Amino acid sequence: MDDSDSVLRNAGFGVLVSGLDAIRSGYYAPYPQATYQFLSAMSTSTSSGVYFATHDPLAESKHFSYALDDDDYLSLAVDAIPPNAGVAFSSISSGGKLAVNYPIVLAATSSDWYDSAELYRAWVLSEASWTQQGPLATSGKSPEWLRQTTTWVNSHWQQNDIFNLTGGDPNVLLPRMLEIVDRFGLEPGQLAMHWYEWDQLGYSADDEYYDECPDEVTCGFDTHYPTYFPERKNFSVALDAMHEAGVKILPYINGRIFDEAVDEWTSFGEPNAVKSLINQTVLVDDQSVPAADLSLDEESYGSLAQFAVMCPATDYWQTTIADTVNEIVTRLETDGVYIDQIAAAGPYPCWDPTHGHPLGGGSHWVDGYKEMLASARAGAGSEAALMTESNAEPFLEGVDIFLTLVGFQENLATTSTEHIVPVFPAIYGGYVYSAGAMFYHSDMDDDSDVFCARLATQLLYGAQLGWMSLGGRDNQDPYMGMLDVMMDPAHDDEIEFLRTMSRARSTLTDYFVDGRPTRDLSVALTSVGVAKGEAVGRVATKRIAPSAVRRVLRNVHVHTHEHEHAHEHAHGHEHEEHDQDHGLVTLGLEYDAVATQGWIAADASSMVLLIVSVEKAASSLDASFSFSSTAAGLSESDEYGVSLLDLATGEEVPVSTCAGAEISGTVEIGPRQALAVKVVAKTSNRD
């Protein structure tokens, strides 16, 4: 490889890593936590690439990795613990063989990552178990109100999982939400809220949380799972008032871990928890694992409470979470439930023979969560939305919307050595909703263009906007509470930009929900009046905000026992590691002052090329585009009608008609403006 080459990582929405130094840092990720099953390596100098994938329709547990050696040769790899790992061959019912039942696929591609996404989409839509219900438009899986939602906030989440003590109190949250409803000025049904600490979490029924909790281990967020009831005093009063204001509400629960301090732990938690195999010796059979050879997989977060990871294949855990979801939705009358960690935390192999699954690896991790989510959906009903953290693909069958904080944690600028690309929506456009990115107080207070850049990237990559925290905790760094800065009249312009992004999302709903992103379409930015081909007028739009927060997960193995257990957390959301050797680090953020992305309609009859300027003090620029209808994925036609859509006003103005396959033009874009070039295939005159 050389410095012009790149590698595509299967993390979040997709991360493109360019240049030898960046590639040399390597990559090792469990799947599912890695969000899809391929890696790509691409060479700009030879206009070629390689697609490396597992076409596994059952999503068995595995790891993807790449490494660059001292001679700059790249290796791409996948490894897996198979089902029945450690069991003597003679006792395995499949005939004495350990096997993974899926092919490893290699294919030659171009130097464009989009070609690999196309290859994978063709396979995954036809063969994978999680896509067989069909797209959102025909499956009826998700509630209709999700289609209208544009923007999210949360009650008071704070990085490091150490929360403000009052943020979940209904009496505190309700006035904050009503302020935000008035401030944002969105249409009813466009705003949704993710509610933490809605439940008692160990404090008294009289709500004396602040006085009677001796420490954060005893009470508060990340304690007492999976006991969530009763709800806090005045929960229903606040919920009804927020519903009246047009806000959709999803309370938080955790779908993966069990607090070992609760009374139910010994009788119910421990027997159904994941068990690792301490001694890597050959087992006589799959029913004779000595208890002394098994140990719990345990984790701890900001509360410092001790948690055990639960085995999703057990009936107990499936029923416990499904019943909790059912009660929240049906008795409390919420609009759905957020179930934490399911699509974000990689699988643990489990060797507990009482759980009824093949020992070690295989598909039992995903199969168990599928059963859990199916039961939760059946109990909650068709109008409730189920949401989970991150966007690992096999869980889209059971959830309606992914919280994509991990998807947006890398650099946003398209010329950064490591930056996000919309691989996941290119594969799964039309099949699932996504929402959310991490926002910080400094995004407005230090450099408000950063706030706008985060919103613009969410829009361009098809995610519902926002997920700003209304609480936060100011003794934690970085501070995430944004209520004060969002309410500050000094930031009226930023709130107006949020409204513009919301209107754009609403106007282009059919593209963002049912369509999918196009490949990168050439847009040249020049000073106004300068011809596209003149180098002197070209404008570079990459910006660096050195104090802006970017959260990046290092590639590590976490050692949870005396033996090595390769496991990473991607909890850019609720949970992250606190060991500085493998935690999340804070860096500057790179973004594009003018960002672009195309979206193609589900039937390929039309497309939009979005162009968004995020800088408040920017000069107007000419944005010149030139691409073929084939590159954009449009239906073949003799002519294409081109119009300009102002996404702030919804006004559409016809621009031109392009004969043949080449579509080109120039539009002027001003400071903090959002435009869409709409292209429609006209009726073909061909036989």
Side-chain angles (χ1 to χ4, degrees):
M1 302 194 81
D2 60 41
D3 260 336
S4 67
D5 295 341
S6 57
V7 178
L8 179 67
R9 292 202 303 245
N10 53 357
F13 269 17
V15 180
L16 193 64
V17 183
S18 302
L20 295 177
D21 288 343
I23 295 170
R24 191 166 280 112
S25 64
Y27 179 64
Y28 186 78
Y31 171 90
Q33 174 188 20
T35 51
Y36 48 88
Q37 296 181 70
F38 74 87
L39 302 170
S40 294
M42 291 146 288
S43 171
T44 302
S45 60
T46 61
S47 298
S48 62
V50 63
Y51 166 84
F52 174 82
T54 55
H55 286 185
D56 172 9
L58 300 180
E60 294 189 12
S61 302
K62 57 182 72 72
H63 284 80
F64 286 91
S65 63
Y66 66 74
L68 193 66
D69 68 17
D70 292 341
D71 296 318
D72 297 335
Y73 285 97
L74 181 73
S75 61
L76 307 172
V78 62
D79 63 78
I81 296 174
N84 298 307
V87 180
F89 285 174
S90 60
S91 69
I92 298 175
S93 59
S94 60
K97 295 181 180 179
L98 297 175
V100 289
N101 297 311
Y102 50 84
I104 296 174
V105 179
L106 289 171
T109 67
S110 75
S111 56
D112 187 344
W113 61 261
Y114 198 86
D115 291 332
S116 291
E118 290 274 71
L119 284 172
Y120 191 73
R121 179 178 169 92
W123 169 76
V124 80
L125 296 192
S126 63
E127 301 295 335
S129 61
W130 54 90
T131 60
Q132 298 314 298
Q133 61 193 340
L136 293 168
T138 58
S139 68
K141 180 190 80 168
S142 298
E144 185 64 21
W145 63 260
L146 258 184
R147 191 178 185 92
Q148 312 308 320
T149 304
T150 65
T151 308
W152 289 77
V153 294
N154 72 78
S155 59
H156 63 303
W157 186 65
Q158 172 61 53
Q159 198 86 49
N160 305 327
D161 303 321
I162 300 174
F163 282 18
N164 179 289
L165 298 181
T166 63
D169 185 338
N171 299 318
V172 172
L173 180 59
L174 176 58
R176 289 177 175 178
M177 277 304 304
L178 296 181
E179 282 187 283
I180 284 297
V181 168
D182 184 63
R183 175 65 159 155
F184 286 3
L186 305 181
E187 296 294 323
Q190 291 185 333
L191 182 62
M193 191 270 287
H194 178 169
W195 192 344
Y196 291 95
E197 295 190 304
W198 58 274
D199 44 350
Q200 289 194 355
L201 291 167
Y203 46 82
S204 74
D206 293 330
D207 216 18
E208 297 297 331
Y209 172 36
Y210 324 119
D211 298 327
E212 295 188 6
C213 275
D215 54 52
E216 289 161 329
V217 180
T218 307
C219 306
F221 182 66
D222 271 352
T223 66
H224 290 81
Y225 304 153
T227 57
Y228 296 94
F229 303 106
E231 65 279 9
R232 294 179 79 161
K233 188 166 60 178
N234 293 329
F235 174 88
S236 294
V237 173
L239 180 73
D240 289 346
M242 288 186 280
H243 277 163
E244 183 67 24
V247 182
K248 300 295 184 180
I249 308 296
L250 272 67
Y252 171 99
I253 67 170
N254 192 293
R256 179 175 167 271
I257 53 178
F258 199 116
D259 186 346
E260 295 177 21
V262 303
D263 293 340
E264 296 85 353
W265 164 246
T266 301
S267 298
F268 299 105
E270 188 170 14
N272 294 287
V274 167
K275 309 298 193 309
S276 289
L277 190 63
I278 298 173
N279 300 310
Q280 302 293 321
T281 57
V282 175
L283 304 171
V284 175
D285 58 51
D286 59 5
Q287 299 299 314
S288 303
V289 185
D293 286 344
L294 298 176
S295 65
L296 298 169
D297 280 300
E298 296 172 314
E299 300 173 355
S300 184
Y301 305 110
S303 70
L304 304 182
Q306 185 82 352
F307 290 103
V309 177
M310 299 301 289
C311 181
T314 61
D315 290 341
Y316 166 79
W317 192 239
Q318 293 171 16
T319 301
T320 296
I321 299 302
D323 287 351
T324 301
V325 170
N326 185 12
E327 183 168 356
I328 292 171
V329 172
T330 57
R331 181 175 67 81
L332 300 183
E333 299 183 335
T334 69
D335 302 290
V337 179
Y338 175 84
I339 313 172
D340 194 19
Q341 293 196 313
I342 290 176
Y348 279 102
C350 180
W351 274 272
D352 190 325
T354 69
H355 292 177
H357 58 72
L359 301 185
S363 65
H364 71 266
W365 186 268
V366 168
D367 292 342
Y369 277 122
K370 284 185 175 182
E371 290 292 329
M372 174 196 291
L373 293 168
S375 296
R377 183 177 299 283
S382 60
E383 286 304 304
L386 301 183
M387 189 180 200
T388 195
E389 179 187 9
S390 198
N391 57 297
E393 62 183 2
F395 305 108
L396 68 80
E397 178 183 2
V399 301
D400 300 291
I401 181 167
F402 288 128
L403 182 64
T404 49
L405 307 189
V406 174
F408 288 99
Q409 71 181 13
E410 289 284 355
N411 275 317
L412 311 179
T414 53
T415 54
S416 298
T417 55
E418 296 186 34
H419 65 90
I420 65 172
V421 285
V423 180
F424 193 86
I427 298 167
Y428 288 111
Y431 278 76
V432 70
Y433 293 93
S434 63
M438 283 182 274
F439 287 78
Y440 303 87
H441 192 276
S442 61
D443 291 347
M444 276 191 168
D445 206 36
D446 291 354
D447 181 356
S448 62
D449 290 338
V450 171
F451 176 77
C452 295
R454 294 193 197 277
L455 289 173
T457 306
Q458 288 182 292
L459 176 77
L460 294 175
Y461 288 3
Q464 293 173 358
L465 309 167
W467 203 78
M468 291 77 69
S469 175
L470 303 185
R473 186 161 174 167
D474 59 11
N475 66 351
Q476 296 296 305
D477 185 25
Y479 178 47
M480 303 190 76
M482 295 191 66
L483 180 66
D484 60 338
V485 287
M486 291 193 296
M487 296 302 299
D488 189 340
H491 293 297
D492 285 352
D493 290 343
E494 286 69 50
I495 299 302
E496 183 56 38
F497 187 82
L498 183 150
R499 293 188 195 106
T500 296
M501 295 295 96
S502 175
R503 284 191 289 267
R505 170 83 195 184
S506 181
T507 299
L508 302 176
T509 293
D510 290 349
Y511 292 98
F512 291 132
V513 176
D514 302 319
R516 63 191 185 108
T518 68
R519 68 178 70 243
D520 183 36
L521 302 176
S522 175
V523 177
L525 298 165
T526 62
S527 301
V528 173
V530 175
K532 174 184 174 183
E534 294 183 21
V536 67
R538 287 292 184 98
V539 175
T541 64
K542 178 180 174 179
R543 301 290 185 264
I544 301 174
S547 64
V549 178
R550 179 164 66 98
R551 310 295 288 186
V552 181
L553 183 69
R554 297 180 183 143
N555 298 310
V556 298
H557 292 184
V558 178
H559 303 281
T560 56
H561 302 287
E562 292 180 0
H563 66 285
E564 289 191 2
H565 180 41
H567 179 72
E568 293 179 307
H569 287 295
H571 304 304
H573 176 210
E574 284 69 25
H575 304 296
E576 63 182 61
E577 297 296 333
H578 295 286
D579 184 331
Q580 292 182 357
D581 289 335
H582 57 260
L584 292 163
V585 294
T586 304
L587 304 169
L589 181 72
E590 299 174 359
Y591 63 91
D592 288 325
V594 179
T596 65
Q597 179 61 51
W599 280 78
I600 188 79
D603 64 0
S605 64
S606 67
M607 62 153 292
V608 288
L609 172 60
L610 289 88
I611 307 170
V612 183
S613 167
V614 304
E615 287 187 310
K616 185 175 183 178
S619 300
S620 294
L621 297 173
D622 278 343
S624 300
F625 54 91
S626 180
F627 56 87
S628 71
S629 58
T630 302
L634 280 165
S635 301
E636 187 177 0
S637 178
D638 292 331
E639 292 183 333
Y640 296 90
V642 181
S643 58
L644 184 63
L645 188 61
D646 187 322
L647 296 176
T649 65
E651 181 182 5
E652 184 173 351
V653 178
V655 173
S656 64
T657 298
C658 295
E662 192 66 22
I663 299 161
S664 61
T666 298
V667 297
E668 183 177 326
I669 184 147
R672 289 202 179 157
Q673 188 176 13
L675 303 174
V677 177
K678 185 175 181 179
V679 182
V680 179
K682 297 191 173 183
T683 303
S684 175
N685 294 323
R686 298 173 186 173
D687 294 332

